[in-house]
Amino acid sequence: MRRAGIITAAVYLPLVAVCSVKLAAFYGVVSALLFCLYGFDKAAAMSNGKGGRKHRIAEKSLHVVALAGGWPGAQLGRLVFRHKTVKASFIHRFWLMAALNVAITFGMLYYNR
């Protein structure tokens, strides 16, 4: 499943760029942001386990940014940082946000031709 997730994320932005370079660029920026947020959250989670108290990023916030087009970066961040890869409820919501983003994107591109 991990390999399929990376392939899906890697193919998505170029496919969007065929129809809208601006939208693909926006999704690229949001994906980079979300990739960084996953890294920050992983670092905070690791320091919390060692007696430190760092602010964590709410799962809801991660899902909202994924829905806004950042899910390819989130998928890469999940794998690179090995973060948010076990909790089934998070994973299900993550893929729901990705599917909703794909559906909304292609609906927008189809109706705005």
Side-chain angles (χ1 to χ4, degrees), residues 17-39:
V18 168
C19 298
S20 174
V21 174
K22 288 180 183 178
L23 186 59
F26 172 76
Y27 284 173
V29 169
V30 175
S31 288
L33 169 70
L34 195 50
F35 176 83
C36 293
L37 289 176
Y38 270 74

Side-chain angles (χ1 to χ4, degrees), residues 44-94:
M46 302 242 339
S47 76
N48 285 348
K50 296 178 182 176
R53 290 295 305 160
K54 289 198 175 183
H55 179 69
R56 297 286 308 275
I57 298 169
E59 289 184 356
K60 184 177 182 178
S61 298
L62 295 173
H63 290 313
V64 167
V65 178
L67 178 62
W71 69 267
Q75 176 61 9
L76 185 60
R78 289 178 61 230
L79 298 177
V80 167
F81 301 117
R82 295 184 192 160
H83 190 50
K84 304 289 187 184
T85 59
V86 175
K87 189 174 175 184
S89 62
F90 181 89
I91 295 168
H92 292 135
R93 286 187 192 106
F94 168 80

